[in-house]
PDB file of all heavy atoms in Angstrom:
ATOM      1  N   GLN N 349     -78.633 185.500 -51.532  1.00 80.00           N
ATOM      2  CA  GLN N 349     -79.404 185.622 -50.289  1.00 80.00           C
ATOM      3  C   GLN N 349     -80.342 186.763 -50.130  1.00 80.00           C
ATOM      4  O   GLN N 349     -81.448 186.707 -49.603  1.00 80.00           O
ATOM      5  CB  GLN N 349     -78.340 185.655 -49.010  1.00 80.00           C
ATOM      6  CG  GLN N 349     -77.578 184.336 -48.992  1.00 80.00           C
ATOM      7  CD  GLN N 349     -76.419 184.535 -48.058  1.00 80.00           C
ATOM      8  OE1 GLN N 349     -75.932 185.632 -47.780  1.00 80.00           O
ATOM      9  NE2 GLN N 349     -75.827 183.394 -47.371  1.00 80.00           N
ATOM     10  N   ALA N 350     -79.961 187.923 -50.733  1.00 82.00           N
ATOM     11  CA  ALA N 350     -80.648 189.146 -50.611  1.00 82.00           C
ATOM     12  C   ALA N 350     -82.036 189.102 -51.425  1.00 82.00           C
ATOM     13  O   ALA N 350     -83.044 189.641 -50.984  1.00 82.00           O
ATOM     14  CB  ALA N 350     -79.894 190.375 -50.990  1.00 82.00           C
ATOM     15  N   VAL N 351     -82.082 188.410 -52.571  1.00 85.00           N
ATOM     16  CA  VAL N 351     -83.231 188.453 -53.394  1.00 85.00           C
ATOM     17  C   VAL N 351     -84.079 187.203 -53.238  1.00 85.00           C
ATOM     18  O   VAL N 351     -85.102 187.030 -53.929  1.00 85.00           O
ATOM     19  CB  VAL N 351     -82.894 188.502 -54.946  1.00 85.00           C
ATOM     20  CG1 VAL N 351     -82.018 189.756 -55.198  1.00 85.00           C
ATOM     21  CG2 VAL N 351     -82.019 187.226 -55.390  1.00 85.00           C
ATOM     22  N   THR N 352     -83.705 186.245 -52.286  1.00 84.00           N
ATOM     23  CA  THR N 352     -84.493 185.142 -52.032  1.00 84.00           C
ATOM     24  C   THR N 352     -85.283 185.175 -50.663  1.00 84.00           C
ATOM     25  O   THR N 352     -84.628 185.560 -49.644  1.00 84.00           O
ATOM     26  CB  THR N 352     -83.582 183.878 -51.914  1.00 84.00           C
ATOM     27  OG1 THR N 352     -82.844 183.793 -53.202  1.00 84.00           O
ATOM     28  CG2 THR N 352     -84.308 182.615 -51.713  1.00 84.00           C
ATOM     29  N   PRO N 353     -86.598 184.964 -50.704  1.00 82.00           N
ATOM     30  CA  PRO N 353     -87.256 184.963 -49.498  1.00 82.00           C
ATOM     31  C   PRO N 353     -86.734 183.985 -48.338  1.00 82.00           C
ATOM     32  O   PRO N 353     -86.135 182.912 -48.800  1.00 82.00           O
ATOM     33  CB  PRO N 353     -88.728 184.590 -49.887  1.00 82.00           C
ATOM     34  CG  PRO N 353     -88.737 184.821 -51.261  1.00 82.00           C
ATOM     35  CD  PRO N 353     -87.326 184.532 -51.817  1.00 82.00           C
ATOM     36  N   ASP N 354     -86.887 184.288 -47.116  1.00 74.00           N
ATOM     37  CA  ASP N 354     -86.330 183.401 -46.044  1.00 74.00           C
ATOM     38  C   ASP N 354     -86.873 181.997 -46.210  1.00 74.00           C
ATOM     39  O   ASP N 354     -86.115 180.992 -46.003  1.00 74.00           O
ATOM     40  CB  ASP N 354     -86.586 183.937 -44.723  1.00 74.00           C
ATOM     41  CG  ASP N 354     -86.076 183.032 -43.602  1.00 74.00           C
ATOM     42  OD1 ASP N 354     -84.808 183.198 -43.327  1.00 74.00           O
ATOM     43  OD2 ASP N 354     -86.835 182.255 -42.919  1.00 74.00           O
ATOM     44  N   ALA N 355     -88.141 181.880 -46.564  1.00 75.00           N
ATOM     45  CA  ALA N 355     -88.744 180.515 -46.612  1.00 75.00           C
ATOM     46  C   ALA N 355     -88.160 179.642 -47.710  1.00 75.00           C
ATOM     47  O   ALA N 355     -88.314 178.410 -47.635  1.00 75.00           O
ATOM     48  CB  ALA N 355     -90.263 180.649 -46.905  1.00 75.00           C
ATOM     49  N   LEU N 356     -87.455 180.204 -48.725  1.00 80.00           N
ATOM     50  CA  LEU N 356     -86.792 179.456 -49.767  1.00 80.00           C
ATOM     51  C   LEU N 356     -85.372 179.469 -49.709  1.00 80.00           C
ATOM     52  O   LEU N 356     -84.579 178.889 -50.577  1.00 80.00           O
ATOM     53  CB  LEU N 356     -87.255 180.136 -51.182  1.00 80.00           C
ATOM     54  CG  LEU N 356     -88.724 179.937 -51.633  1.00 80.00           C
ATOM     55  CD1 LEU N 356     -88.992 180.764 -52.785  1.00 80.00           C
ATOM     56  CD2 LEU N 356     -88.822 178.340 -52.053  1.00 80.00           C
ATOM     57  N   GLN N 357     -84.811 180.079 -48.638  1.00 75.00           N
ATOM     58  CA  GLN N 357     -83.317 180.061 -48.486  1.00 75.00           C
ATOM     59  C   GLN N 357     -82.628 178.773 -48.579  1.00 75.00           C
ATOM     60  O   GLN N 357     -81.645 178.551 -49.364  1.00 75.00           O
ATOM     61  CB  GLN N 357     -82.772 180.818 -47.270  1.00 75.00           C
ATOM     62  CG  GLN N 357     -83.006 182.286 -47.185  1.00 75.00           C
ATOM     63  CD  GLN N 357     -82.034 183.038 -48.014  1.00 75.00           C
ATOM     64  OE1 GLN N 357     -80.967 182.580 -48.277  1.00 75.00           O
ATOM     65  NE2 GLN N 357     -82.308 184.252 -48.360  1.00 75.00           N
ATOM     66  N   GLY N 358     -83.085 177.781 -47.913  1.00 70.00           N
ATOM     67  CA  GLY N 358     -82.371 176.462 -47.887  1.00 70.00           C
ATOM     68  C   GLY N 358     -82.508 175.823 -49.193  1.00 70.00           C
ATOM     69  O   GLY N 358     -81.508 175.305 -49.655  1.00 70.00           O
ATOM     70  N   ARG N 359     -83.696 175.963 -49.809  1.00 76.00           N
ATOM     71  CA  ARG N 359     -83.896 175.277 -51.070  1.00 76.00           C
ATOM     72  C   ARG N 359     -83.151 175.894 -52.212  1.00 76.00           C
ATOM     73  O   ARG N 359     -82.577 175.298 -53.112  1.00 76.00           O
ATOM     74  CB  ARG N 359     -85.381 175.149 -51.408  1.00 76.00           C
ATOM     75  CG  ARG N 359     -86.082 174.058 -50.679  1.00 76.00           C
ATOM     76  CD  ARG N 359     -87.613 174.247 -50.836  1.00 76.00           C
ATOM     77  NE  ARG N 359     -88.102 175.227 -49.945  1.00 76.00           N
ATOM     78  CZ  ARG N 359     -89.456 175.716 -49.845  1.00 76.00           C
ATOM     79  NH1 ARG N 359     -90.197 175.045 -50.724  1.00 76.00           N
ATOM     80  NH2 ARG N 359     -89.742 176.503 -49.033  1.00 76.00           N
ATOM     81  N   MET N 360     -83.097 177.333 -52.241  1.00 81.00           N
ATOM     82  CA  MET N 360     -82.307 177.997 -53.166  1.00 81.00           C
ATOM     83  C   MET N 360     -80.816 177.619 -53.095  1.00 81.00           C
ATOM     84  O   MET N 360     -80.204 177.277 -54.109  1.00 81.00           O
ATOM     85  CB  MET N 360     -82.484 179.539 -52.939  1.00 81.00           C
ATOM     86  CG  MET N 360     -81.608 180.338 -53.996  1.00 81.00           C
ATOM     87  SD  MET N 360     -79.934 180.717 -53.379  1.00 81.00           S
ATOM     88  CE  MET N 360     -80.181 181.761 -52.005  1.00 81.00           C
ATOM     89  N   ASN N 361     -80.276 177.701 -51.851  1.00 76.00           N
ATOM     90  CA  ASN N 361     -78.883 177.365 -51.753  1.00 76.00           C
ATOM     91  C   ASN N 361     -78.565 175.905 -52.045  1.00 76.00           C
ATOM     92  O   ASN N 361     -77.552 175.648 -52.808  1.00 76.00           O
ATOM     93  CB  ASN N 361     -78.443 177.616 -50.214  1.00 76.00           C
ATOM     94  CG  ASN N 361     -78.283 179.146 -49.896  1.00 76.00           C
ATOM     95  OD1 ASN N 361     -77.763 179.902 -50.678  1.00 76.00           O
ATOM     96  ND2 ASN N 361     -78.963 179.583 -48.877  1.00 76.00           N
ATOM     97  N   ILE N 362     -79.311 174.994 -51.643  1.00 74.00           N
ATOM     98  CA  ILE N 362     -78.984 173.675 -51.793  1.00 74.00           C
ATOM     99  C   ILE N 362     -79.297 173.224 -53.262  1.00 74.00           C
ATOM    100  O   ILE N 362     -78.614 172.165 -53.763  1.00 74.00           O
ATOM    101  CB  ILE N 362     -79.546 172.695 -50.750  1.00 74.00           C
ATOM    102  CG1 ILE N 362     -78.698 171.548 -50.439  1.00 74.00           C
ATOM    103  CG2 ILE N 362     -80.987 172.265 -51.181  1.00 74.00           C
ATOM    104  CD1 ILE N 362     -77.331 171.940 -49.868  1.00 74.00           C
ATOM    105  N   THR N 363     -80.301 173.811 -53.861  1.00 81.00           N
ATOM    106  CA  THR N 363     -80.601 173.433 -55.236  1.00 81.00           C
ATOM    107  C   THR N 363     -79.327 173.768 -56.099  1.00 81.00           C
ATOM    108  O   THR N 363     -78.841 172.952 -56.828  1.00 81.00           O
ATOM    109  CB  THR N 363     -81.794 174.228 -55.830  1.00 81.00           C
ATOM    110  OG1 THR N 363     -82.901 173.761 -55.083  1.00 81.00           O
ATOM    111  CG2 THR N 363     -81.956 173.941 -57.276  1.00 81.00           C
ATOM    112  N   MET N 364     -78.811 174.951 -55.959  1.00 85.00           N
ATOM    113  CA  MET N 364     -77.691 175.429 -56.743  1.00 85.00           C
ATOM    114  C   MET N 364     -76.478 174.609 -56.348  1.00 85.00           C
ATOM    115  O   MET N 364     -75.650 174.125 -57.242  1.00 85.00           O
ATOM    116  CB  MET N 364     -77.354 176.860 -56.504  1.00 85.00           C
ATOM    117  CG  MET N 364     -78.449 177.810 -57.076  1.00 85.00           C
ATOM    118  SD  MET N 364     -78.119 179.524 -57.053  1.00 85.00           S
ATOM    119  CE  MET N 364     -76.693 179.688 -58.119  1.00 85.00           C
ATOM    120  N   ARG N 365     -76.253 174.368 -55.059  1.00 78.00           N
ATOM    121  CA  ARG N 365     -75.062 173.682 -54.602  1.00 78.00           C
ATOM    122  C   ARG N 365     -75.184 172.131 -54.942  1.00 78.00           C
ATOM    123  O   ARG N 365     -74.110 171.527 -55.387  1.00 78.00           O
ATOM    124  CB  ARG N 365     -74.929 173.835 -53.078  1.00 78.00           C
ATOM    125  CG  ARG N 365     -73.583 173.116 -52.575  1.00 78.00           C
ATOM    126  CD  ARG N 365     -73.352 173.721 -51.191  1.00 78.00           C
ATOM    127  NE  ARG N 365     -72.788 174.931 -51.179  1.00 78.00           N
ATOM    128  CZ  ARG N 365     -71.571 175.252 -50.579  1.00 78.00           C
ATOM    129  NH1 ARG N 365     -70.945 174.455 -49.867  1.00 78.00           N
ATOM    130  NH2 ARG N 365     -71.175 176.490 -50.649  1.00 78.00           N
ATOM    131  N   SER N 366     -76.295 171.541 -54.969  1.00 79.00           N
ATOM    132  CA  SER N 366     -76.441 170.132 -55.351  1.00 79.00           C
ATOM    133  C   SER N 366     -76.106 169.909 -56.739  1.00 79.00           C
ATOM    134  O   SER N 366     -75.362 168.922 -57.174  1.00 79.00           O
ATOM    135  CB  SER N 366     -77.867 169.692 -54.956  1.00 79.00           C
ATOM    136  OG  SER N 366     -78.057 169.698 -53.554  1.00 79.00           O
ATOM    137  N   ILE N 367     -76.663 170.787 -57.656  1.00 86.00           N
ATOM    138  CA  ILE N 367     -76.308 170.595 -59.059  1.00 86.00           C
ATOM    139  C   ILE N 367     -74.810 170.951 -59.304  1.00 86.00           C
ATOM    140  O   ILE N 367     -74.232 170.218 -60.117  1.00 86.00           O
ATOM    141  CB  ILE N 367     -77.267 171.484 -59.882  1.00 86.00           C
ATOM    142  CG1 ILE N 367     -78.734 171.282 -59.577  1.00 86.00           C
ATOM    143  CG2 ILE N 367     -77.008 171.227 -61.462  1.00 86.00           C
ATOM    144  CD1 ILE N 367     -79.258 169.781 -59.695  1.00 86.00           C
ATOM    145  N   ASN N 368     -74.346 171.862 -58.692  1.00 86.00           N
ATOM    146  CA  ASN N 368     -72.885 172.164 -58.804  1.00 86.00           C
ATOM    147  C   ASN N 368     -72.017 171.050 -58.360  1.00 86.00           C
ATOM    148  O   ASN N 368     -71.044 170.699 -59.055  1.00 86.00           O
ATOM    149  CB  ASN N 368     -72.529 173.454 -58.055  1.00 86.00           C
ATOM    150  CG  ASN N 368     -73.095 174.754 -58.584  1.00 86.00           C
ATOM    151  OD1 ASN N 368     -73.356 174.802 -59.756  1.00 86.00           O
ATOM    152  ND2 ASN N 368     -73.135 175.746 -57.770  1.00 86.00           N
ATOM    153  N   ARG N 369     -72.410 170.391 -57.268  1.00 79.00           N
ATOM    154  CA  ARG N 369     -71.731 169.193 -56.782  1.00 79.00           C
ATOM    155  C   ARG N 369     -71.846 168.059 -57.709  1.00 79.00           C
ATOM    156  O   ARG N 369     -70.989 167.205 -57.769  1.00 79.00           O
ATOM    157  CB  ARG N 369     -72.076 168.956 -55.305  1.00 79.00           C
ATOM    158  CG  ARG N 369     -71.155 169.605 -54.315  1.00 79.00           C
ATOM    159  CD  ARG N 369     -70.826 171.026 -54.635  1.00 79.00           C
ATOM    160  NE  ARG N 369     -70.084 171.770 -53.695  1.00 79.00           N
ATOM    161  CZ  ARG N 369     -69.737 173.043 -53.704  1.00 79.00           C
ATOM    162  NH1 ARG N 369     -70.211 173.729 -54.658  1.00 79.00           N
ATOM    163  NH2 ARG N 369     -69.033 173.587 -52.790  1.00 79.00           N
ATOM    164  N   ALA N 370     -73.065 167.910 -58.359  1.00 83.00           N
ATOM    165  CA  ALA N 370     -73.203 166.868 -59.353  1.00 83.00           C
ATOM    166  C   ALA N 370     -72.230 167.089 -60.497  1.00 83.00           C
ATOM    167  O   ALA N 370     -71.750 166.123 -61.085  1.00 83.00           O
ATOM    168  CB  ALA N 370     -74.642 166.910 -59.856  1.00 83.00           C
ATOM    169  N   MET N 371     -71.953 168.255 -60.801  1.00 88.00           N
ATOM    170  CA  MET N 371     -70.968 168.628 -61.823  1.00 88.00           C
ATOM    171  C   MET N 371     -69.627 168.096 -61.409  1.00 88.00           C
ATOM    172  O   MET N 371     -68.741 167.694 -62.159  1.00 88.00           O
ATOM    173  CB  MET N 371     -70.984 170.076 -62.205  1.00 88.00           C
ATOM    174  CG  MET N 371     -72.310 170.659 -62.747  1.00 88.00           C
ATOM    175  SD  MET N 371     -72.902 169.839 -64.249  1.00 88.00           S
ATOM    176  CE  MET N 371     -74.168 168.729 -63.579  1.00 88.00           C
ATOM    177  N   VAL N 372     -69.262 168.351 -60.100  1.00 83.00           N
ATOM    178  CA  VAL N 372     -68.036 167.828 -59.563  1.00 83.00           C
ATOM    179  C   VAL N 372     -67.937 166.321 -59.773  1.00 83.00           C
ATOM    180  O   VAL N 372     -66.903 165.797 -60.062  1.00 83.00           O
ATOM    181  CB  VAL N 372     -67.871 168.170 -58.045  1.00 83.00           C
ATOM    182  CG1 VAL N 372     -66.571 167.622 -57.457  1.00 83.00           C
ATOM    183  CG2 VAL N 372     -67.769 169.766 -57.918  1.00 83.00           C
ATOM    184  N   VAL N 373     -69.028 165.561 -59.383  1.00 80.00           N
ATOM    185  CA  VAL N 373     -69.028 164.160 -59.480  1.00 80.00           C
ATOM    186  C   VAL N 373     -68.745 163.692 -60.971  1.00 80.00           C
ATOM    187  O   VAL N 373     -68.069 162.680 -61.206  1.00 80.00           O
ATOM    188  CB  VAL N 373     -70.449 163.631 -59.018  1.00 80.00           C
ATOM    189  CG1 VAL N 373     -70.477 162.110 -59.344  1.00 80.00           C
ATOM    190  CG2 VAL N 373     -70.642 163.845 -57.583  1.00 80.00           C
ATOM    191  N   VAL N 374     -69.138 164.557 -61.920  1.00 86.00           N
ATOM    192  CA  VAL N 374     -68.754 164.265 -63.316  1.00 86.00           C
ATOM    193  C   VAL N 374     -67.370 164.725 -63.688  1.00 86.00           C
ATOM    194  O   VAL N 374     -66.579 164.003 -64.205  1.00 86.00           O
ATOM    195  CB  VAL N 374     -69.808 164.950 -64.238  1.00 86.00           C
ATOM    196  CG1 VAL N 374     -69.426 164.796 -65.677  1.00 86.00           C
ATOM    197  CG2 VAL N 374     -71.235 164.282 -64.074  1.00 86.00           C
ATOM    198  N   GLY N 375     -67.107 166.000 -63.248  1.00 88.00           N
ATOM    199  CA  GLY N 375     -65.909 166.556 -63.706  1.00 88.00           C
ATOM    200  C   GLY N 375     -64.659 166.063 -63.058  1.00 88.00           C
ATOM    201  O   GLY N 375     -63.498 165.951 -63.777  1.00 88.00           O
ATOM    202  N   ALA N 376     -64.604 165.759 -61.875  1.00 85.00           N
ATOM    203  CA  ALA N 376     -63.478 165.177 -61.053  1.00 85.00           C
ATOM    204  C   ALA N 376     -62.976 163.892 -61.718  1.00 85.00           C
ATOM    205  O   ALA N 376     -61.861 163.835 -62.117  1.00 85.00           O
ATOM    206  CB  ALA N 376     -63.618 165.115 -59.580  1.00 85.00           C
ATOM    207  N   PRO N 377     -63.779 162.825 -61.826  1.00 86.00           N
ATOM    208  CA  PRO N 377     -63.354 161.658 -62.490  1.00 86.00           C
ATOM    209  C   PRO N 377     -62.928 161.792 -63.884  1.00 86.00           C
ATOM    210  O   PRO N 377     -61.902 161.216 -64.300  1.00 86.00           O
ATOM    211  CB  PRO N 377     -64.497 160.687 -62.201  1.00 86.00           C
ATOM    212  CG  PRO N 377     -65.257 161.238 -61.136  1.00 86.00           C
ATOM    213  CD  PRO N 377     -65.158 162.717 -61.327  1.00 86.00           C
ATOM    214  N   LEU N 378     -63.745 162.666 -64.604  1.00 90.00           N
ATOM    215  CA  LEU N 378     -63.491 162.768 -65.966  1.00 90.00           C
ATOM    216  C   LEU N 378     -62.088 163.527 -66.247  1.00 90.00           C
ATOM    217  O   LEU N 378     -61.302 163.044 -67.018  1.00 90.00           O
ATOM    218  CB  LEU N 378     -64.530 163.739 -66.637  1.00 90.00           C
ATOM    219  CG  LEU N 378     -64.337 164.130 -68.086  1.00 90.00           C
ATOM    220  CD1 LEU N 378     -64.397 162.839 -68.914  1.00 90.00           C
ATOM    221  CD2 LEU N 378     -65.437 165.079 -68.647  1.00 90.00           C
ATOM    222  N   GLY N 379     -61.752 164.466 -65.331  1.00 89.00           N
ATOM    223  CA  GLY N 379     -60.524 165.225 -65.466  1.00 89.00           C
ATOM    224  C   GLY N 379     -59.302 164.179 -65.152  1.00 89.00           C
ATOM    225  O   GLY N 379     -58.290 164.214 -65.710  1.00 89.00           O
TER     226      GLY N 379
END
Side-chain angles (χ1 to χ4, degrees):
Q349 292 170 337
V351 300
T352 301
D354 182 76
L356 284 168
Q357 285 283 343
R359 280 168 286 175
M360 177 276 291
N361 286 314
I362 212 60
T363 293
M364 294 185 65
R365 184 162 284 231
S366 295
I367 306 302
N368 287 341
R369 273 34 182 192
M371 299 301 103
V372 176
V373 172
V374 173
L378 180 62

